[in-house]
Amino acid sequence: MELSQRITTILTLDPGADAIEFDGRWCSWGDLHAVATRVAGMIDAGGVPFGGPVGLVLRNDPAMIAAVLGTLVA
């Protein structure tokens, strides 16, 4: 199984379960999956070939974890 498939499998195992606590709030696996899916879709729509270079500007926020996962899925 490819890494992208493994990431998707983990993100969809229990979408309602808490995944990351940040600043006193929890993000669920479903929240992470939704952002990761949108990021992967933007990368695909941008015409970036599978395995092509993608840059991210990371910040201290759970959405950035989802962005990294979406990049790896794409």
Side-chain angles (χ1 to χ4, degrees):
M1 181 182 289
E2 290 184 13
L3 177 62
S4 61
Q5 292 170 318
R6 288 177 190 248
I7 291 169
T8 300
T9 298
I10 290 169
L11 290 173
T12 57
L13 281 176
D14 189 357
D18 291 337
I20 298 172
E21 187 271 330
F22 178 75
D23 202 23
R25 295 185 324 213
W26 282 92
C27 294
S28 71
W29 287 104
D31 296 334
L32 294 177
H33 182 246
V35 174
T37 299
R38 285 195 303 270
V39 169
M42 287 187 267
I43 290 170
D44 290 339
V48 178
F50 187 79
V54 174
L56 294 171
V57 177
L58 302 177
R59 299 177 77 63
N60 188 17
D61 187 274
M64 295 299 101
I65 294 170
V68 169
L69 294 173
T71 300
L72 292 173
V73 167

Short mmCIF file of all heavy atoms in Angstrom, two decimals:
data_model
loop_
_atom_site.label_atom_id
_atom_site.label_comp_id
_atom_site.label_asym_id
_atom_site.label_seq_id
_atom_site.Cartn_x
_atom_site.Cartn_y
_atom_site.Cartn_z
N MET A 1 0.85 -1.18 0.00
CA MET A 1 0.00 0.00 0.00
C MET A 1 0.89 1.24 0.00
O MET A 1 1.84 1.34 0.77
CB MET A 1 -0.90 -0.03 1.24
CG MET A 1 -1.85 1.14 1.32
SD MET A 1 -2.90 1.18 2.81
CE MET A 1 -4.01 -0.15 2.48
N GLU A 2 0.57 2.19 -0.86
CA GLU A 2 1.33 3.43 -0.95
C GLU A 2 1.06 4.33 0.25
O GLU A 2 0.02 4.23 0.89
CB GLU A 2 0.95 4.20 -2.22
CG GLU A 2 1.41 3.55 -3.49
CD GLU A 2 1.09 4.41 -4.70
OE1 GLU A 2 0.74 5.60 -4.54
OE2 GLU A 2 1.21 3.89 -5.81
N LEU A 3 2.00 5.24 0.52
CA LEU A 3 1.86 6.17 1.64
C LEU A 3 0.57 6.97 1.53
O LEU A 3 -0.15 7.16 2.51
CB LEU A 3 3.07 7.10 1.73
CG LEU A 3 3.02 8.16 2.82
CD1 LEU A 3 2.94 7.52 4.20
CD2 LEU A 3 4.22 9.08 2.71
N SER A 4 0.25 7.45 0.33
CA SER A 4 -0.97 8.25 0.16
C SER A 4 -2.22 7.46 0.54
O SER A 4 -3.13 8.00 1.17
CB SER A 4 -1.08 8.76 -1.28
OG SER A 4 -1.15 7.69 -2.19
N GLN A 5 -2.25 6.19 0.22
CA GLN A 5 -3.39 5.34 0.58
C GLN A 5 -3.44 5.11 2.09
O GLN A 5 -4.52 5.10 2.68
CB GLN A 5 -3.31 4.00 -0.14
CG GLN A 5 -3.50 4.11 -1.64
CD GLN A 5 -3.16 2.80 -2.35
OE1 GLN A 5 -2.18 2.15 -2.02
NE2 GLN A 5 -3.99 2.43 -3.30
N ARG A 6 -2.29 4.93 2.71
CA ARG A 6 -2.24 4.73 4.16
C ARG A 6 -2.75 5.97 4.90
O ARG A 6 -3.49 5.86 5.87
CB ARG A 6 -0.83 4.38 4.61
CG ARG A 6 -0.40 3.01 4.20
CD ARG A 6 1.04 2.76 4.61
NE ARG A 6 1.51 1.54 4.02
CZ ARG A 6 1.80 0.44 4.70
NH1 ARG A 6 1.67 0.44 6.01
NH2 ARG A 6 2.21 -0.63 4.08
N ILE A 7 -2.34 7.14 4.43
CA ILE A 7 -2.78 8.38 5.06
C ILE A 7 -4.30 8.51 4.96
O ILE A 7 -4.98 8.79 5.95
CB ILE A 7 -2.08 9.60 4.44
CG1 ILE A 7 -0.60 9.59 4.80
CG2 ILE A 7 -2.74 10.90 4.89
CD1 ILE A 7 0.24 10.58 4.02
N THR A 8 -4.84 8.27 3.77
CA THR A 8 -6.29 8.36 3.58
C THR A 8 -7.02 7.36 4.46
O THR A 8 -8.05 7.68 5.06
CB THR A 8 -6.65 8.15 2.10
OG1 THR A 8 -6.00 9.16 1.32
CG2 THR A 8 -8.15 8.23 1.86
N THR A 9 -6.50 6.14 4.56
CA THR A 9 -7.11 5.12 5.41
C THR A 9 -7.17 5.57 6.86
O THR A 9 -8.21 5.46 7.52
CB THR A 9 -6.33 3.79 5.30
OG1 THR A 9 -6.40 3.33 3.95
CG2 THR A 9 -6.90 2.74 6.23
N ILE A 10 -6.08 6.12 7.37
CA ILE A 10 -6.04 6.57 8.76
C ILE A 10 -6.99 7.74 8.98
O ILE A 10 -7.71 7.79 9.97
CB ILE A 10 -4.60 6.92 9.17
CG1 ILE A 10 -3.79 5.63 9.27
CG2 ILE A 10 -4.57 7.68 10.49
CD1 ILE A 10 -2.31 5.83 9.42
N LEU A 11 -7.03 8.68 8.05
CA LEU A 11 -7.90 9.85 8.19
C LEU A 11 -9.38 9.49 8.19
O LEU A 11 -10.20 10.23 8.73
CB LEU A 11 -7.62 10.87 7.08
CG LEU A 11 -6.29 11.61 7.16
CD1 LEU A 11 -6.08 12.44 5.91
CD2 LEU A 11 -6.22 12.48 8.40
N THR A 12 -9.72 8.34 7.61
CA THR A 12 -11.13 7.97 7.49
C THR A 12 -11.56 6.85 8.44
O THR A 12 -12.72 6.44 8.41
CB THR A 12 -11.46 7.57 6.04
OG1 THR A 12 -10.60 6.50 5.63
CG2 THR A 12 -11.28 8.75 5.09
N LEU A 13 -10.66 6.36 9.28
CA LEU A 13 -11.01 5.27 10.20
C LEU A 13 -12.13 5.64 11.16
O LEU A 13 -13.09 4.90 11.34
CB LEU A 13 -9.78 4.83 11.01
CG LEU A 13 -8.79 3.93 10.32
CD1 LEU A 13 -7.58 3.67 11.23
CD2 LEU A 13 -9.43 2.61 9.91
N ASP A 14 -12.00 6.78 11.81
CA ASP A 14 -13.00 7.23 12.79
C ASP A 14 -13.09 8.75 12.71
O ASP A 14 -12.51 9.46 13.53
CB ASP A 14 -12.59 6.78 14.19
CG ASP A 14 -13.67 7.00 15.23
OD1 ASP A 14 -14.74 7.56 14.89
OD2 ASP A 14 -13.45 6.62 16.39
N PRO A 15 -13.82 9.26 11.71
CA PRO A 15 -13.86 10.70 11.46
C PRO A 15 -14.29 11.56 12.65
O PRO A 15 -13.87 12.70 12.77
CB PRO A 15 -14.86 10.85 10.31
CG PRO A 15 -14.94 9.51 9.69
CD PRO A 15 -14.65 8.51 10.77
N GLY A 16 -15.10 11.02 13.54
CA GLY A 16 -15.57 11.80 14.67
C GLY A 16 -14.64 11.82 15.86
O GLY A 16 -14.84 12.59 16.80
N ALA A 17 -13.61 10.99 15.82
CA ALA A 17 -12.68 10.90 16.96
C ALA A 17 -11.75 12.11 17.00
O ALA A 17 -11.37 12.66 15.96
CB ALA A 17 -11.86 9.62 16.86
N ASP A 18 -11.40 12.52 18.22
CA ASP A 18 -10.45 13.61 18.40
C ASP A 18 -9.08 13.20 17.89
O ASP A 18 -8.61 12.09 18.13
CB ASP A 18 -10.34 13.99 19.88
CG ASP A 18 -11.60 14.64 20.41
OD1 ASP A 18 -12.36 15.19 19.61
OD2 ASP A 18 -11.80 14.60 21.64
N ALA A 19 -8.43 14.11 17.17
CA ALA A 19 -7.12 13.83 16.61
C ALA A 19 -6.04 14.75 17.18
O ALA A 19 -4.97 14.29 17.57
CB ALA A 19 -7.15 13.97 15.09
N ILE A 20 -6.31 16.06 17.23
CA ILE A 20 -5.30 17.03 17.65
C ILE A 20 -5.95 18.05 18.57
O ILE A 20 -7.00 18.61 18.24
CB ILE A 20 -4.71 17.77 16.43
CG1 ILE A 20 -4.00 16.80 15.50
CG2 ILE A 20 -3.74 18.86 16.89
CD1 ILE A 20 -3.56 17.43 14.20
N GLU A 21 -5.30 18.30 19.69
CA GLU A 21 -5.75 19.36 20.60
C GLU A 21 -4.82 20.55 20.41
O GLU A 21 -3.61 20.42 20.42
CB GLU A 21 -5.70 18.87 22.05
CG GLU A 21 -6.30 19.84 23.04
CD GLU A 21 -5.31 20.85 23.59
OE1 GLU A 21 -4.11 20.53 23.70
OE2 GLU A 21 -5.73 21.96 23.93
N PHE A 22 -5.43 21.72 20.18
CA PHE A 22 -4.64 22.93 19.97
C PHE A 22 -5.39 24.10 20.59
O PHE A 22 -6.57 24.32 20.29
CB PHE A 22 -4.43 23.18 18.47
CG PHE A 22 -3.68 24.43 18.17
CD1 PHE A 22 -2.31 24.50 18.36
CD2 PHE A 22 -4.33 25.55 17.70
CE1 PHE A 22 -1.61 25.66 18.09
CE2 PHE A 22 -3.64 26.72 17.42
CZ PHE A 22 -2.27 26.78 17.62
N ASP A 23 -4.72 24.79 21.44
CA ASP A 23 -5.28 25.99 22.08
C ASP A 23 -6.62 25.69 22.77
O ASP A 23 -7.56 26.48 22.69
CB ASP A 23 -5.42 27.09 21.03
CG ASP A 23 -5.49 28.49 21.64
OD1 ASP A 23 -5.02 28.67 22.78
OD2 ASP A 23 -6.03 29.39 20.97
N GLY A 24 -6.68 24.53 23.41
CA GLY A 24 -7.86 24.16 24.16
C GLY A 24 -9.02 23.61 23.36
O GLY A 24 -10.07 23.31 23.90
N ARG A 25 -8.83 23.45 22.05
CA ARG A 25 -9.89 22.91 21.18
C ARG A 25 -9.37 21.65 20.48
O ARG A 25 -8.19 21.54 20.17
CB ARG A 25 -10.30 23.92 20.13
CG ARG A 25 -10.94 25.16 20.72
CD ARG A 25 -11.44 26.08 19.64
NE ARG A 25 -10.55 26.08 18.48
CZ ARG A 25 -10.31 27.11 17.71
NH1 ARG A 25 -10.91 28.25 17.95
NH2 ARG A 25 -9.50 27.03 16.69
N TRP A 26 -10.29 20.74 20.22
CA TRP A 26 -9.94 19.51 19.53
C TRP A 26 -10.38 19.57 18.07
O TRP A 26 -11.44 20.08 17.76
CB TRP A 26 -10.60 18.31 20.20
CG TRP A 26 -9.89 17.89 21.44
CD1 TRP A 26 -10.14 18.31 22.71
CD2 TRP A 26 -8.78 17.00 21.51
NE1 TRP A 26 -9.26 17.72 23.57
CE2 TRP A 26 -8.41 16.92 22.87
CE3 TRP A 26 -8.06 16.27 20.57
CZ2 TRP A 26 -7.36 16.12 23.30
CZ3 TRP A 26 -7.02 15.47 21.00
CH2 TRP A 26 -6.67 15.40 22.35
N CYS A 27 -9.55 19.02 17.20
CA CYS A 27 -9.89 18.82 15.80
C CYS A 27 -10.06 17.32 15.60
O CYS A 27 -9.26 16.53 16.09
CB CYS A 27 -8.77 19.30 14.87
SG CYS A 27 -8.49 21.06 14.92
N SER A 28 -11.08 16.94 14.89
CA SER A 28 -11.34 15.52 14.65
C SER A 28 -10.56 15.04 13.43
O SER A 28 -10.05 15.83 12.62
CB SER A 28 -12.83 15.29 14.42
OG SER A 28 -13.22 15.82 13.17
N TRP A 29 -10.51 13.72 13.30
CA TRP A 29 -9.89 13.13 12.11
C TRP A 29 -10.67 13.55 10.87
O TRP A 29 -10.10 13.76 9.80
CB TRP A 29 -9.84 11.61 12.23
CG TRP A 29 -8.82 11.15 13.21
CD1 TRP A 29 -9.05 10.69 14.48
CD2 TRP A 29 -7.40 11.15 13.04
NE1 TRP A 29 -7.85 10.39 15.10
CE2 TRP A 29 -6.83 10.67 14.23
CE3 TRP A 29 -6.56 11.52 12.00
CZ2 TRP A 29 -5.46 10.54 14.41
CZ3 TRP A 29 -5.19 11.39 12.18
CH2 TRP A 29 -4.65 10.90 13.36
N GLY A 30 -11.97 13.70 11.00
CA GLY A 30 -12.79 14.16 9.88
C GLY A 30 -12.45 15.58 9.46
O GLY A 30 -12.42 15.89 8.27
N ASP A 31 -12.17 16.45 10.45
CA ASP A 31 -11.74 17.82 10.13
C ASP A 31 -10.43 17.79 9.34
O ASP A 31 -10.28 18.49 8.33
CB ASP A 31 -11.52 18.64 11.41
CG ASP A 31 -12.77 18.86 12.23
OD1 ASP A 31 -13.88 18.84 11.65
OD2 ASP A 31 -12.63 19.05 13.45
N LEU A 32 -9.48 16.99 9.82
CA LEU A 32 -8.19 16.88 9.13
C LEU A 32 -8.37 16.33 7.72
O LEU A 32 -7.76 16.81 6.77
CB LEU A 32 -7.23 15.99 9.92
CG LEU A 32 -6.77 16.52 11.27
CD1 LEU A 32 -5.88 15.49 11.95
CD2 LEU A 32 -6.06 17.85 11.15
N HIS A 33 -9.24 15.32 7.60
CA HIS A 33 -9.48 14.72 6.29
C HIS A 33 -10.09 15.74 5.32
O HIS A 33 -9.70 15.79 4.14
CB HIS A 33 -10.39 13.50 6.43
CG HIS A 33 -10.63 12.79 5.14
ND1 HIS A 33 -11.88 12.74 4.57
CD2 HIS A 33 -9.80 12.14 4.30
CE1 HIS A 33 -11.80 12.07 3.44
NE2 HIS A 33 -10.54 11.70 3.25
N ALA A 34 -11.03 16.54 5.80
CA ALA A 34 -11.67 17.54 4.93
C ALA A 34 -10.65 18.54 4.39
O ALA A 34 -10.64 18.84 3.19
CB ALA A 34 -12.77 18.27 5.70
N VAL A 35 -9.76 19.04 5.25
CA VAL A 35 -8.75 19.99 4.79
C VAL A 35 -7.75 19.30 3.88
O VAL A 35 -7.38 19.83 2.82
CB VAL A 35 -8.04 20.66 6.00
CG1 VAL A 35 -6.89 21.53 5.53
CG2 VAL A 35 -9.04 21.48 6.81
N ALA A 36 -7.31 18.10 4.26
CA ALA A 36 -6.34 17.37 3.43
C ALA A 36 -6.90 17.10 2.04
O ALA A 36 -6.19 17.24 1.03
CB ALA A 36 -5.96 16.05 4.12
N THR A 37 -8.18 16.77 1.97
CA THR A 37 -8.82 16.50 0.68
C THR A 37 -8.87 17.77 -0.18
O THR A 37 -8.61 17.73 -1.39
CB THR A 37 -10.24 15.94 0.89
OG1 THR A 37 -10.14 14.71 1.62
CG2 THR A 37 -10.95 15.68 -0.42
N ARG A 38 -9.19 18.91 0.45
CA ARG A 38 -9.21 20.17 -0.30
C ARG A 38 -7.82 20.53 -0.81
O ARG A 38 -7.66 20.98 -1.96
CB ARG A 38 -9.78 21.30 0.56
CG ARG A 38 -11.28 21.20 0.73
CD ARG A 38 -11.91 22.48 1.26
NE ARG A 38 -11.37 22.95 2.52
CZ ARG A 38 -11.82 22.61 3.72
NH1 ARG A 38 -12.85 21.79 3.83
NH2 ARG A 38 -11.28 23.09 4.81
N VAL A 39 -6.80 20.35 0.02
CA VAL A 39 -5.43 20.67 -0.40
C VAL A 39 -5.01 19.75 -1.55
O VAL A 39 -4.46 20.22 -2.56
CB VAL A 39 -4.45 20.55 0.79
CG1 VAL A 39 -3.00 20.61 0.32
CG2 VAL A 39 -4.73 21.65 1.81
N ALA A 40 -5.28 18.45 -1.41
CA ALA A 40 -4.94 17.51 -2.49
C ALA A 40 -5.65 17.89 -3.79
O ALA A 40 -5.05 17.85 -4.87
CB ALA A 40 -5.29 16.09 -2.08
N GLY A 41 -6.92 18.31 -3.69
CA GLY A 41 -7.66 18.73 -4.87
C GLY A 41 -7.07 19.97 -5.52
O GLY A 41 -7.02 20.06 -6.75
N MET A 42 -6.62 20.91 -4.70
CA MET A 42 -5.99 22.12 -5.26
C MET A 42 -4.68 21.79 -5.96
O MET A 42 -4.37 22.36 -7.02
CB MET A 42 -5.76 23.15 -4.16
CG MET A 42 -7.02 23.82 -3.68
SD MET A 42 -6.71 25.16 -2.53
CE MET A 42 -6.83 24.29 -0.99
N ILE A 43 -3.93 20.87 -5.38
CA ILE A 43 -2.66 20.47 -6.01
C ILE A 43 -2.95 19.80 -7.35
O ILE A 43 -2.31 20.10 -8.37
CB ILE A 43 -1.86 19.55 -5.07
CG1 ILE A 43 -1.35 20.37 -3.87
CG2 ILE A 43 -0.71 18.87 -5.81
CD1 ILE A 43 -0.75 19.54 -2.76
N ASP A 44 -3.92 18.88 -7.36
CA ASP A 44 -4.29 18.22 -8.61
C ASP A 44 -4.81 19.21 -9.64
O ASP A 44 -4.44 19.16 -10.81
CB ASP A 44 -5.35 17.15 -8.35
CG ASP A 44 -4.80 15.95 -7.59
OD1 ASP A 44 -3.57 15.74 -7.59
OD2 ASP A 44 -5.61 15.23 -6.97
N ALA A 45 -5.67 20.14 -9.20
CA ALA A 45 -6.23 21.14 -10.11
C ALA A 45 -5.16 22.06 -10.67
O ALA A 45 -5.29 22.59 -11.77
CB ALA A 45 -7.32 21.95 -9.40
N GLY A 46 -4.11 22.25 -9.90
CA GLY A 46 -3.00 23.09 -10.34
C GLY A 46 -2.09 22.41 -11.36
O GLY A 46 -1.17 23.03 -11.88
N GLY A 47 -2.37 21.15 -11.63
CA GLY A 47 -1.58 20.44 -12.64
C GLY A 47 -0.23 19.93 -12.15
O GLY A 47 0.62 19.57 -12.97
N VAL A 48 -0.04 19.89 -10.85
CA VAL A 48 1.23 19.37 -10.31
C VAL A 48 1.24 17.87 -10.51
O VAL A 48 0.32 17.17 -10.09
CB VAL A 48 1.37 19.71 -8.81
CG1 VAL A 48 2.66 19.13 -8.26
CG2 VAL A 48 1.32 21.20 -8.59
N PRO A 49 2.26 17.32 -11.17
CA PRO A 49 2.30 15.88 -11.38
C PRO A 49 2.54 15.14 -10.07
O PRO A 49 3.11 15.70 -9.13
CB PRO A 49 3.48 15.69 -12.33
CG PRO A 49 4.34 16.88 -12.13
CD PRO A 49 3.41 18.00 -11.74
N PHE A 50 2.08 13.89 -9.99
CA PHE A 50 2.29 13.08 -8.80
C PHE A 50 3.79 13.02 -8.49
O PHE A 50 4.59 12.73 -9.36
CB PHE A 50 1.75 11.66 -9.00
CG PHE A 50 1.79 10.84 -7.74
CD1 PHE A 50 0.83 11.01 -6.77
CD2 PHE A 50 2.80 9.92 -7.54
CE1 PHE A 50 0.85 10.26 -5.61
CE2 PHE A 50 2.83 9.17 -6.38
CZ PHE A 50 1.86 9.34 -5.41
N GLY A 51 4.13 13.38 -7.28
CA GLY A 51 5.54 13.40 -6.87
C GLY A 51 6.26 14.68 -7.22
O GLY A 51 7.44 14.83 -6.94
N GLY A 52 5.54 15.63 -7.85
CA GLY A 52 6.15 16.90 -8.23
C GLY A 52 6.37 17.78 -7.01
O GLY A 52 5.80 17.56 -5.94
N PRO A 53 7.20 18.80 -7.15
CA PRO A 53 7.52 19.67 -6.02
C PRO A 53 6.34 20.57 -5.63
O PRO A 53 5.63 21.09 -6.49
CB PRO A 53 8.69 20.51 -6.53
CG PRO A 53 8.55 20.51 -8.01
CD PRO A 53 7.92 19.20 -8.37
N VAL A 54 6.14 20.69 -4.33
CA VAL A 54 5.10 21.56 -3.76
C VAL A 54 5.70 22.25 -2.56
O VAL A 54 6.39 21.62 -1.76
CB VAL A 54 3.86 20.74 -3.32
CG1 VAL A 54 2.84 21.62 -2.61
CG2 VAL A 54 3.22 20.04 -4.50
N GLY A 55 5.46 23.55 -2.43
CA GLY A 55 5.96 24.29 -1.28
C GLY A 55 4.84 24.62 -0.32
O GLY A 55 3.71 24.86 -0.73
N LEU A 56 5.14 24.60 0.96
CA LEU A 56 4.18 24.96 2.00
C LEU A 56 4.82 25.98 2.93
O LEU A 56 6.00 25.87 3.24
CB LEU A 56 3.78 23.74 2.83
CG LEU A 56 3.00 22.64 2.15
CD1 LEU A 56 2.88 21.43 3.07
CD2 LEU A 56 1.62 23.13 1.77
N VAL A 57 4.04 26.95 3.36
CA VAL A 57 4.46 27.87 4.41
C VAL A 57 3.71 27.44 5.65
O VAL A 57 2.49 27.58 5.73
CB VAL A 57 4.15 29.34 4.05
CG1 VAL A 57 4.55 30.26 5.18
CG2 VAL A 57 4.86 29.72 2.75
N LEU A 58 4.43 26.87 6.60
CA LEU A 58 3.79 26.28 7.76
C LEU A 58 3.65 27.27 8.90
O LEU A 58 4.52 28.10 9.13
CB LEU A 58 4.58 25.06 8.22
CG LEU A 58 4.73 23.97 7.17
CD1 LEU A 58 5.60 22.84 7.71
CD2 LEU A 58 3.39 23.43 6.75
N ARG A 59 2.54 27.14 9.61
CA ARG A 59 2.28 27.94 10.80
C ARG A 59 1.90 26.98 11.92
O ARG A 59 1.64 25.81 11.68
CB ARG A 59 1.16 28.94 10.53
CG ARG A 59 1.55 29.91 9.41
CD ARG A 59 0.47 30.88 9.03
NE ARG A 59 0.20 32.02 9.86
CZ ARG A 59 1.01 33.03 10.14
NH1 ARG A 59 2.24 33.00 9.75
NH2 ARG A 59 0.60 34.06 10.84
N ASN A 60 1.84 27.47 13.10
CA ASN A 60 1.51 26.66 14.26
C ASN A 60 -0.01 26.53 14.37
O ASN A 60 -0.66 27.24 15.12
CB ASN A 60 2.11 27.29 15.52
CG ASN A 60 1.97 26.40 16.72
OD1 ASN A 60 1.73 25.21 16.59
ND2 ASN A 60 2.12 26.97 17.89
N ASP A 61 -0.57 25.59 13.60
CA ASP A 61 -2.01 25.44 13.53
C ASP A 61 -2.33 24.03 13.03
O ASP A 61 -1.61 23.52 12.16
CB ASP A 61 -2.57 26.48 12.56
CG ASP A 61 -4.07 26.51 12.54
OD1 ASP A 61 -4.66 25.71 11.79
OD2 ASP A 61 -4.65 27.31 13.29
N PRO A 62 -3.37 23.39 13.54
CA PRO A 62 -3.71 22.05 13.08
C PRO A 62 -3.99 21.96 11.57
O PRO A 62 -3.76 20.92 10.96
CB PRO A 62 -4.98 21.71 13.87
CG PRO A 62 -4.89 22.54 15.09
CD PRO A 62 -4.21 23.81 14.65
N ALA A 63 -4.45 23.04 10.97
CA ALA A 63 -4.70 23.01 9.52
C ALA A 63 -3.42 22.74 8.75
O ALA A 63 -3.46 22.17 7.66
CB ALA A 63 -5.33 24.32 9.07
N MET A 64 -2.30 23.13 9.31
CA MET A 64 -1.03 22.88 8.63
C MET A 64 -0.69 21.39 8.59
O MET A 64 -0.13 20.90 7.62
CB MET A 64 0.11 23.65 9.31
CG MET A 64 -0.04 25.16 9.20
SD MET A 64 -0.04 25.75 7.49
CE MET A 64 -1.77 26.03 7.20
N ILE A 65 -1.07 20.68 9.64
CA ILE A 65 -0.87 19.23 9.64
C ILE A 65 -1.71 18.61 8.53
O ILE A 65 -1.24 17.77 7.77
CB ILE A 65 -1.22 18.62 11.01
CG1 ILE A 65 -0.22 19.13 12.05
CG2 ILE A 65 -1.23 17.10 10.95
CD1 ILE A 65 -0.58 18.81 13.47
N ALA A 66 -2.95 19.06 8.43
CA ALA A 66 -3.82 18.58 7.36
C ALA A 66 -3.28 18.95 5.98
O ALA A 66 -3.36 18.16 5.05
CB ALA A 66 -5.23 19.13 7.55
N ALA A 67 -2.70 20.14 5.86
CA ALA A 67 -2.12 20.56 4.58
C ALA A 67 -0.95 19.66 4.18
O ALA A 67 -0.80 19.28 3.02
CB ALA A 67 -1.68 22.01 4.64
N VAL A 68 -0.11 19.31 5.15
CA VAL A 68 1.01 18.41 4.87
C VAL A 68 0.47 17.05 4.45
O VAL A 68 0.94 16.45 3.47
CB VAL A 68 1.94 18.29 6.09
CG1 VAL A 68 2.94 17.16 5.91
CG2 VAL A 68 2.66 19.60 6.35
N LEU A 69 -0.53 16.54 5.17
CA LEU A 69 -1.11 15.24 4.81
C LEU A 69 -1.75 15.29 3.43
O LEU A 69 -1.58 14.36 2.64
CB LEU A 69 -2.13 14.82 5.87
CG LEU A 69 -1.56 14.52 7.25
CD1 LEU A 69 -2.69 14.28 8.25
CD2 LEU A 69 -0.61 13.34 7.21
N GLY A 70 -2.45 16.37 3.11
CA GLY A 70 -3.04 16.52 1.77
C GLY A 70 -1.99 16.57 0.69
O GLY A 70 -2.17 16.01 -0.40
N THR A 71 -0.87 17.21 0.98
CA THR A 71 0.23 17.27 0.01
C THR A 71 0.79 15.87 -0.22
O THR A 71 1.07 15.48 -1.36
CB THR A 71 1.33 18.23 0.52
OG1 THR A 71 0.75 19.52 0.68
CG2 THR A 71 2.49 18.32 -0.45
N LEU A 72 0.96 15.12 0.84
CA LEU A 72 1.48 13.76 0.71
C LEU A 72 0.49 12.85 -0.03
O LEU A 72 0.91 11.97 -0.80
CB LEU A 72 1.78 13.17 2.09
CG LEU A 72 2.96 13.83 2.82
CD1 LEU A 72 3.05 13.28 4.24
CD2 LEU A 72 4.25 13.61 2.07
N VAL A 73 -0.80 13.09 0.16
CA VAL A 73 -1.81 12.29 -0.55
C VAL A 73 -1.78 12.62 -2.05
O VAL A 73 -1.89 11.73 -2.89
CB VAL A 73 -3.22 12.53 0.03
CG1 VAL A 73 -4.30 11.98 -0.89
CG2 VAL A 73 -3.32 11.90 1.41
N ALA A 74 -1.62 13.90 -2.37
CA ALA A 74 -1.62 14.32 -3.78
C ALA A 74 -0.34 13.88 -4.46
O ALA A 74 -0.28 13.72 -5.64
CB ALA A 74 -1.77 15.83 -3.88
#
